[in-house]
Amino acid sequence: MDTNSFGKILDLLKPTRLRPSTRGEQNILIESESDKARVINHAAFRRLLGKAQVFPLDTNAAVRTRLTHSIEVSQIGRYIAQKIIEKHDVNSLHYKQLAAFVTTIETACLLHDIGNPPFGHFGEDAIQKWFLKETPKIADLLEFDGNPQGFRLISFLGGADEYGLNLTCSQLLSTIKYPWTHAGKPDPKDKIGLFTSDVAYYKRACDELNWPPGKKFPFLRLMEAADNIAYAMSDLEDGIEKKIVSIEDLKKEFGENRFLSEKIDPFVKFKTDVIVEAVELAAKTFTNKLDNIIAGEDIELVDKTSDIGDLLKKVKHFARAKIYRNEAAERIELAGRSVIVGLLNHFKELLDLEEAEFMALVDNNINVIKDNKLGYHARLLRRLPISYIEKYRCGSRGGCEIFKRAHLVVDFISGMTDEFALETYQVLEGIRIR
């Protein structure tokens, strides 16, 4: 094993933050734990409990939400990181770096869905399509996605000042799956991972770590692998819980031998074996391809051509055909899309105002509000979090005024839980009054 290359990976762990910590700079172990604490104690992380993984608004607590899924991803991420350490001769390496390495991967996994809107990918699609019909065109929101919204949340919206949660630069870069904006995509089909207004902060984090902007950070690869392993297994298990598929269906599809067990549940046996095998391959690939990963090459840690990679691919195809297309799930997804579009239609009233009128609402200028009959608009604005309105006032994130105002509306809607989105839509439609 190339211990020197692993040392280069660990050198990317630094306690540096974009705004120096009020406690003064600590060591990397303490700072990585501080990052984790900032995430798990934040309201946006708790709200993941109310955002569906596959089945929106489900009353069965055993079915996964984005929160329970994120916790499972974090466990697999820790497992991969620990396996990587196991594969190296680390006697000469400092304990604090090794522990911080594991915690940083874990926290990146906890954050991987933090920016997802209500109703998941249908929510993303609804926001994109809605802004496609609007004028002026706001390029960021034409390609709205949970990934850039997640970075915006942790680096700006999520705290009292312009730095959000003010995570370490190492942690920030570990969360960015697509380190580019709409204008810098390597391929037109690629998703974006950064909004235009957030690029300067991303580049500052890169500068602090001497990392080339636009190149995927090595720790990100581990988060992606953990997510891919986790959701493949969890979606099958939720399908069983919902009685959409059965163990017998899985045995026919993936082979009865994988489910043979005298001591534990057959699915648990299947799931555990798959995770162990996939984690082993991910850790081995990361270890063997360290130099390539540091160079920014697009390395898939669980290769689809491997036996376990091929099995995971088949699991995802099976889930797509048998679970995601289930009539009950699709019905709620369609309704969820209508909820998001409906919310945007109502809050469009704020986007259609002249800048002076909108600022009168923000400043609570009673005379202008009365003279221009903006009472309804004032009530709409009061639905938005005060902290987000203060961020709108903040001049640190660039862009023209309507750009910032559109982001303000999307920040609010994308942060909603599935149930709160439905409730707010019903109130605005007059379907309910409480």
Side-chain angles (χ1 to χ4, degrees), residues 13 89 98 100 132 150 154 160 182 189 192 211 247 252-253 268 374 407-408:
L13 289 165
D89 177 12
L98 298 175
L132 188 62
I154 63 176
H182 62 87
K189 295 179 181 178
I192 64 170
W211 183 257
I247 284 289
K252 290 177 184 177
E253 187 73 20
V268 173
L374 298 177
H407 267 291
L408 169 63

Side-chain angles (χ1 to χ4, degrees), residues 71-329:
I71 293 170
E72 290 178 339
V73 174
S74 73
Q75 186 277 321
I76 294 176
R78 282 185 64 88
Y79 188 9
I80 298 174
Q82 289 162 342
K83 272 287 180 183
I84 291 168
I85 291 171
E86 184 182 86
K87 291 179 180 297
H88 288 83
D89 177 12
V90 295
N91 292 331
S92 61
L93 296 173
H94 203 286
Y95 161 76
K96 290 179 180 179
Q97 283 184 301
L98 298 175
F101 171 64
V102 175
T103 302
T104 300
I105 303 308
E106 178 185 13
T107 304
C109 292
L110 290 173
L111 283 169
H112 84 283
D113 275 347
I114 199 79
N116 280 28
F119 306 104
H121 296 307
F122 268 70
E124 291 173 333
D125 182 69
I127 293 170
Q128 292 171 9
K129 295 297 192 329
W130 192 87
F131 277 97
L132 188 62
K133 299 176 182 178
E134 289 303 297
T135 303
K137 303 299 182 198
I138 299 174
D140 277 352
L141 299 178
L142 295 179
E143 299 191 46
F144 174 85
D145 187 86
N147 291 294
Q149 186 65 26
F151 183 78
R152 178 175 172 82
L153 196 155
I154 63 176
S155 70
F156 179 49
L157 297 175
D161 64 12
E162 64 185 280
Y163 297 103
L165 300 184
N166 195 34
L167 303 177
T168 61
C169 296
S170 300
Q171 191 69 68
L172 282 175
L173 298 190
S174 299
T175 68
I176 304 172
K177 293 178 71 172
Y178 312 104
W180 46 73
T181 66
H182 62 87
K185 296 192 295 185
D187 187 293
K189 295 179 181 178
D190 286 337
K191 292 183 176 183
I192 64 170
L194 296 164
F195 292 132
T196 307
S197 58
D198 302 319
V199 170
Y201 289 74
Y202 161 69
K203 288 183 175 178
R204 281 182 58 190
C206 289
D207 289 344
E208 292 289 348
L209 300 181
N210 196 28
W211 183 257
K215 191 164 77 170
K216 290 188 178 183
F217 202 60
F219 301 159
L220 179 276
R221 306 286 183 182
L222 302 176
M223 180 266 276
E224 284 185 309
D227 183 30
N228 288 334
I229 296 166
Y231 85 73
M233 292 294 101
S234 63
D235 292 352
L236 286 189
E237 194 165 16
D238 283 352
I240 294 171
E241 179 68 28
K242 296 281 292 179
K243 296 182 170 53
I244 296 170
V245 296
S246 68
I247 284 289
E248 294 307 314
D249 294 330
L250 301 187
K251 287 179 180 179
K252 290 177 184 177
E253 187 73 20
F254 305 114
E256 191 162 347
N257 288 340
R258 286 190 170 271
F259 296 85
L260 295 177
S261 174
E262 296 179 359
K263 296 182 179 180
I264 60 175
D265 178 86
F267 182 80
V268 173
K269 164 72 163 57
F270 174 67
K271 175 182 174 181
T272 302
D273 287 349
V274 169
I275 290 175
V276 168
E277 190 175 342
V279 164
E280 179 65 34
L281 178 58
K284 180 180 178 181
T285 305
F286 188 85
T287 298
N288 292 341
K289 300 287 187 179
L290 271 179
D291 288 335
N292 306 78
I293 290 168
I294 293 171
E297 294 181 25
D298 196 12
I299 304 295
E300 193 168 26
L301 299 188
V302 183
D303 194 326
K304 291 183 177 67
T305 63
S306 66
D307 289 343
I308 190 62
D310 183 60
L311 176 62
L312 287 173
K313 182 172 67 175
K314 289 177 179 175
V315 166
K316 291 168 187 174
H317 285 321
F318 179 83
R320 192 174 297 115
K322 302 293 185 181
I323 299 173
Y324 304 160
R325 294 178 184 174
N326 174 260
E327 190 269 341

Side-chain angles (χ1 to χ4, degrees), residues 357-402:
E357 292 177 315
F358 185 72
M359 288 308 302
L361 296 179
V362 171
D363 296 334
N364 195 29
N365 188 323
I366 302 300
N367 291 331
V368 175
I369 292 172
K370 277 186 176 182
D371 292 345
N372 290 273
K373 296 180 171 56
L374 298 177
Y376 173 71
H377 301 82
R379 286 163 175 79
L380 270 182
L381 185 70
R382 286 197 288 270
R383 305 282 71 78
L384 276 59
I386 293 174
S387 63
Y388 283 13
I389 295 173
E390 290 304 312
K391 292 299 173 76
Y392 161 82
R393 289 177 181 273
C394 178
S396 64
R397 303 282 163 139
C400 63
E401 189 279 332
I402 192 61

